[in-house]
Amino acid sequence: SFPKKLKMASQLAEALAAVKRPDVVLKYGTAGFRDREELLDAALFRVGALAALRSREKEGVVGVMITASHNPARDNGAKIVDTNGGMLASSWEELAAVLANAADSDIEGALLSLCSEEVISKQGGTVFIGRDTRNSSSRLRDRVVEGVKAAGAETLDFGLTTTPHVHWLVREANAGREATLEAYYKQLWTNYKIIAKKEDVRNVVIDCAGGIGAVAVKSFLEQAKDLFNVEIRNPAGSDDELNSGCGAEFVQKEKKIPRSIDSQEQHVFASFDGDADRVVYFYMKEGALELLDGDKINALLVDFIQVCLSEDENLAKAFSIGVVQTAYANGSSTRYLKSIVGDENIFCVPTGVKHLHHKAEMFDIGAYFEANGHGTILFSEKVLSYSGPKTNAAERLLALASILNQGTGDALADLVATEAVLSATSKNVHEWSDLYTDVPSRQMKVAVADRSAVLTNSDETRVIDPQIVQDEIDKKVGAVRQGRAFVRPSGTENVVRVYAEAETQGEADSLANEVASVVFHHLAGVGECPRV
């Protein structure tokens, strides 16, 4: 049968070589492949084939989401969703990069290293496909479909969807449940009603970053209009508007009010990012933006879970809880969470959803949010199948588990969970904000010639190489009260990210400027050195 495998691999390789690959090297990171959209046709053709082969190997549905999230509209990308509704297994990430970058003459070898004889020679497999609102997404969707078909599998195209939609749909399909967007929205609002106070209509203005989130919010409101009074700002529009001066990335990193929102407005605001897998909240305080980031969302939800556990000793005895953070977590949030769940239940991991998600899976209840608004709370099968006494606390805990996306961060699900908890606890946005006071911080990014020129330690809090960069940062930090700063290469853009904390906002801004200057001068900065 080996020659049969060779024949199938050679046929598929020949098909994949038909779309010429540009002379660029693509990396498959946490966010999948991302680059300028005109460079991606060959890669996404191959992604379709790879997703088909993964589906056959695992004998389940696999997903592909076409998006570049919070990147500018000129970029695009693809992210493969594995059969468990989570990110693609690490071993296959490496193989995806090998296949995407293979010269035409090497495609066959890449395929043979990818799959068993049985997988490559069989037909079958199903790939769910979703895409964001970028102009290039339809064309790249067609490439993925062609790749799936070339590999002998079928596609189901969900059209314009958020990234977390695709994760949820894949997970539900493989669990034998109804995998439709109608079922997704129904699961959100029916469980919201179990937690929230009756007749408490939630008022929120949502900045949708000019992206796909607006489509999801409108569809959700068709089912839940009696529960939410929502106004959408920055709806899905032209490519020029996507992530431009708006969205979660802009609000959280720049700490600026997004376009189409006035500083005098007195509302509760939420900002999604371009593919709606992140959300942050804010409100206006004396004309300035008061941010409630992913750390604050985490604190609110973990606090609520801890109350449920304390009200029902059966729950408290049955389930372990862990809270997972990265170095970006504000120092005050870490102290607050320790006061709720105890020092021994707080864990720090390297930046990136993959690290957070993996660690959170180790607990019955594993909470993780990045400050940027990406996060969720994972509940083990032991929790989801709990058959103990149906106390009020148990019902609310299980309802929260049903709202929160178990595959990835989900802006809409996180917003619904947040609003449910605010309603249940009768907290307004000011009281939520006052759970703790952030140590002032500032984030920046410095464009560099090569982001891989900087090497950090495992949790990304210190630079290992070049050593002079860390030495300079240490000097700057030592001169500031409550100073803390670190730099790390971005996983998605050719930039080095800078984070700084200090006792006052002015000192945090100044420290961020000084650290950015160190990066710019020692790591071949491109353009002008940024300043706050």
Side-chain angles (χ1 to χ4, degrees):
S1 60
F2 188 66
K4 184 180 179 186
K5 178 184 176 187
L6 280 175
K7 184 177 178 216
M8 291 297 296
S10 63
Q11 287 173 339
L12 182 53
E14 190 177 334
L16 296 181
V19 180
K20 294 306 171 194
R21 188 181 68 85
D23 189 20
V24 292
V25 176
L26 298 173
K27 292 181 179 176
Y28 194 102
T30 299
F33 289 119
R34 274 193 204 167
D35 214 311
R36 296 292 289 264
E37 53 89 6
E38 67 270 19
L39 302 175
L40 292 171
D41 287 79
L44 267 70
F45 190 29
R46 297 177 187 193
V47 160
L50 181 125
L53 296 174
R54 181 65 174 171
S55 172
R56 278 216 287 281
E57 186 192 69
K58 298 287 284 184
E59 296 183 344
V61 175
V62 165
V64 175
M65 176 66 191
I66 298 154
T67 183
S69 186
H70 56 271
N71 281 32
R74 65 175 180 268
D75 294 342
N76 215 323
K79 185 177 180 181
I80 300 171
V81 178
D82 222 333
T83 50
N84 63 357
M87 288 171 286
L88 185 63
S90 297
S91 59
W92 274 66
E93 283 187 2
E94 294 165 19
L95 296 166
V98 169
L99 182 60
N101 294 308
D104 291 353
S105 59
D106 297 331
I107 295 174
E108 188 174 333
L111 290 169
L112 290 168
S113 67
L114 191 69
C115 290
S116 71
E117 185 177 338
E118 292 76 20
V119 169
I120 209 157
S121 60
K122 278 195 304 191
Q123 294 287 295
T126 304
V127 179
F128 285 1
I129 302 176
R131 70 182 195 276
D132 72 8
T133 56
R134 293 162 203 266
N135 287 338
S136 60
S137 291
S138 292
R139 183 190 89 244
L140 294 172
R141 180 270 323 275
D142 291 345
R143 290 301 192 208
V144 173
V145 170
E146 289 162 10
V148 173
K149 288 183 176 172
E154 296 180 342
T155 60
L156 184 56
D157 183 4
F158 284 88
L160 292 169
T161 60
T162 70
T163 295
H165 275 158
V166 177
H167 285 264
W168 188 90
L169 290 162
V170 167
R171 183 183 171 88
E172 293 301 292
N174 288 322
R177 295 186 288 263
E178 183 187 346
T180 65
L181 292 175
E182 289 73 20
Y184 167 87
Y185 296 124
K186 184 178 181 182
Q187 188 165 311
L188 293 185
W189 68 261
T190 53
N191 285 285
Y192 166 88
K193 287 174 74 172
I194 294 169
I195 300 171
K197 288 191 168 138
K198 286 182 173 55
E199 297 172 10
D200 178 17
V201 177
R202 306 301 299 173
N203 296 291
V204 61
V205 175
I206 305 177
D207 156 30
C208 288
I212 188 65
V215 178
V217 171
K218 285 175 184 171
S219 298
F220 172 66
L221 291 174
E222 286 172 12
Q223 292 193 22
K225 58 181 179 293
D226 296 338
L227 306 172
F228 290 85
N229 178 24
V230 170
E231 186 184 340
I232 294 173
R233 305 280 177 89
N234 303 318
S238 70
D239 267 10
D240 291 343
E241 297 169 326
L242 179 65
N243 296 319
S244 177
C246 59
E249 172 86 351
F250 176 81
V251 170
Q252 190 260 335
K253 295 280 195 306
E254 305 288 335
K255 294 188 179 166
K256 291 178 181 172
I257 298 167
R259 63 180 170 82
S260 61
I261 291 174
D262 188 84
S263 62
Q264 299 309 306
E265 292 186 71
Q266 294 302 308
H267 299 294
V268 176
F269 298 93
S271 279
F272 291 4
D273 73 332
D275 67 335
D277 66 356
R278 300 184 189 181
V279 61
V280 296
Y281 274 75
F282 63 97
Y283 62 96
M284 304 303 173
K285 188 174 179 180
E286 296 171 3
L289 180 144
E290 197 74 16
L291 178 69
L292 296 100
D293 62 8
D295 292 335
K296 275 271 162 78
I297 294 171
N298 204 17
L300 180 77
L301 299 182
V302 169
D303 209 347
F304 180 75
I305 288 168
Q306 196 61 35
V307 168
C308 290
L309 297 180
S310 65
E311 286 179 3
D312 184 336
E313 62 178 18
N314 290 309
L315 299 177
K317 285 176 186 172
F319 305 135
S320 63
I321 185 167
V323 180
V324 191
Q325 295 186 311
T326 72
Y328 280 110
N330 192 276
S332 292
S333 79
T334 306
R335 286 186 285 276
Y336 180 77
L337 287 163
K338 283 180 177 178
S339 75
I340 298 172
V341 300
D343 286 27
E344 69 280 6
N345 294 314
I346 305 285
F347 302 87
C348 187
V349 297
T351 305
V353 181
K354 186 189 307 180
H355 302 293
L356 289 154
H357 196 94
H358 177 68
K359 187 70 179 178
E361 285 178 319
M362 297 178 181
F363 309 97
D364 293 320
I365 303 170
Y368 74 85
F369 274 82
E370 294 180 286
N372 65 21
H374 188 287
T376 189
I377 300 177
L378 302 181
F379 295 84
S380 69
E381 195 51 46
K382 184 175 161 189
V383 178
L384 298 175
S385 59
Y386 179 70
S387 58
K390 285 192 165 57
T391 61
N392 186 34
E395 288 189 342
R396 286 185 298 165
L397 181 69
L398 292 173
L400 187 65
S402 294
I403 293 171
L404 291 163
N405 195 314
Q406 297 301 289
T408 190
D410 183 335
L412 181 57
D414 291 343
L415 179 138
V416 171
T418 298
E419 293 298 326
V421 170
L422 288 171
S423 174
T425 56
S426 301
K427 279 189 178 76
N428 62 39
V429 71
H430 305 280
E431 292 165 325
W432 172 24
S433 182
D434 289 342
L435 289 179
Y436 62 83
T437 303
D438 279 332
V439 180
S441 66
R442 175 65 66 191
Q443 292 191 50
M444 299 172 69
K445 55 186 180 183
V446 182
V448 293
D450 179 12
R451 69 189 182 202
S452 66
V454 60
L455 184 66
T456 67
N457 65 348
S458 64
D459 62 7
E460 300 175 323
T461 54
R462 295 186 69 76
V463 173
I464 296 170
D465 189 47
Q467 182 62 46
I468 190 170
V469 172
Q470 188 59 51
D471 293 342
E472 292 279 326
I473 292 172
D474 287 343
K475 283 182 199 166
K476 308 292 186 192
V477 168
V480 178
R481 294 173 300 170
Q482 286 192 49
R484 181 169 81 92
F486 64 90
V487 303
R488 55 175 287 273
S490 167
T492 56
E493 303 171 77
N494 208 21
V495 300
V496 172
R497 299 194 183 277
V498 172
Y499 180 89
E501 275 183 8
E503 193 169 279
T504 68
Q505 189 62 56
E507 288 172 304
D509 290 350
S510 176
L511 179 57
N513 282 334
E514 291 190 15
V515 172
S517 180
V518 169
V519 169
F520 189 85
H521 289 107
H522 289 292
L523 293 167
V526 173
E528 289 186 18
C529 183
R531 291 187 64 77
V532 175

